Structure formats: structure tokens, C-alpha cells
Amino acid sequence: MDLKQSINKNNIPQHVAIIMDGNGRWAKQHGEDRIFGHHEGVNSVREIVEACGEIGVKYLTLYAFSTENWNRPKEEVDALMELLVSTISMETPNLNKKGVKLQAIGDIKSLPESCQKELQESIDITSKNDTVTLILALSYSSKWEIVNAVKEIAKQVEEGKLKTTEITSKHIEKNLNTNKFPDPELMIRTSGEHRISNFLLWQLAYAEFYFTDILWPDFRKEEFFKAIISYQNRERRFGQTSEQISTN
């Protein structure tokens, strides 16, 4: 049976976040170097973006490059940056055709100028699209993001624009990179790892987690639909009891 037909269209997560893990291991299993796995992983990105459009997921955040990834071998980092530029350039017409809006979060200024330029051009070209918003987390660290939010709030207090007694969670959220987007309801991580690796620590507070042993280059539409169905079979209580949920 087609898994997509089993999905309840009335219970689709508005925002899905994915840690795309396993490209290097996939490449090793196929006797190739790590960058080959990253190239193949692009095909999975294309499929999952399409899948989101097909079932009605409005926001998709992909952990594409973490702050910690800068510590990888220089050859791999350079190859990843080249792949990022070429992929964005190549995929922008298709994203635009399918109504996908591209956005980015993270320390974008730390990326090479060629990456920043290509990224901004694609963001501008797709800015009016509204089928799916694809958010790339690039040179991203959730702790870095939260520290920056705290610094901004502290600055407002120093300037007398805000009292410490007035600070709420809303002030944190307003100063996060993700302030334009709703929090994810579902977080997926591939490759068998069971951690969130400094990814959206604040935003994932009430998200459902889905871990799979599938390596990212093998994670295609059917695997994504399995994650959606798993999400739909869970009871999201937000601190309430099952009885309270059933009567609301």
C-alpha cells in the first residue's frame, strides 16, 4: 500500500526539522569518498522537499552545516562549500517552479562570499513563493543563537528599553534566528544517532522526535512518510493528561 495514502491530511505537522546524518558512512559503504555521499544526499533533499509539498508540510528546516562542521578536514569543508554553491544555483529554478521559498538561519556571514552571494540570490528569487518554506541551517549552532538572543536582550536592558522583570520567553523567541517561523512539531534524525547535536534546542522543546537507522542518502519519500505516520500515531499532550486531551 502506498504510504502516502495512509497519511491523515488533517494532522500534518506544519514544520518538520531534519538532521541529515550519514552521508559519509553511506559513501564508505559504497567504496567512495565522503563528498560523494554529500552529493547523493542532495537527491534526498530534493525528494523530501517535494514530499512536503505533496502532503502539506509548510516549513522544512534542514541542518545542512553546523558550526562544529568547520572542524572537519579542510578538503571536505571546501568541497561542501563548493557543493552548496553549485546545488543552490542548480536547484533554484526547480524550487521556484514548485513554489518553494528558500530561507537560511545561522552565522551566514562566516560562509565564503560565493556561498553568501548564491544563497541571497536564491532567497530573493524565491521570496514570493508560499507552497513550502525551505530553511537551511548553515554554520548554525543553537547555543550560539541563544547566546546572541541573550546579548540582544541585555543590550535592551542596558539602554533602558526593557526591564529585567518584564523579560519573558517571548523576548527570547523574538531574538532567535527562527523568529519568522513556527516551532517544529517533528524532528527527524537519520543514521541511527539519538541526539540533537546543538540543533534548535529552544525550538524543539515540544517537538516529537523520530530516529531512524536509514542513512541520509537512502532517506527518500517513503521513509519520510513513515516518519509522518509515526508522528500521527502519537498523543501530543503538552503537559496535560490524556483525559484532558480527549475532552478538549
Side-chain angles (χ1 to χ4, degrees), residues 203-246:
Q203 298 88 338
L204 293 177
Y206 282 101
E208 298 294 327
F209 289 2
Y210 179 87
F211 299 105
T212 174
D213 291 336
I214 301 294
L215 301 177
W216 177 248
D218 290 328
F219 191 86
R220 302 300 171 92
K221 287 185 182 180
E222 289 299 289
E223 295 299 328
F224 182 70
F225 294 150
K226 286 180 185 177
I228 297 296
I229 291 170
S230 174
Y231 166 87
Q232 293 184 337
N233 287 329
R234 302 182 191 186
E235 182 181 67
R236 308 193 73 220
R237 297 194 297 273
F238 300 100
Q240 295 182 308
T241 65
S242 297
E243 290 73 20
Q244 285 176 300
I245 297 296
S246 63

Side-chain angles (χ1 to χ4, degrees), residues 47 88 100 119 150 154 181 185 187 209 229 238:
E47 280 217 13
I88 291 174
V100 178
L119 183 62
V150 171
F181 319 118
E185 294 102 328
M187 192 285 293
F209 289 2
I229 291 170
F238 300 100

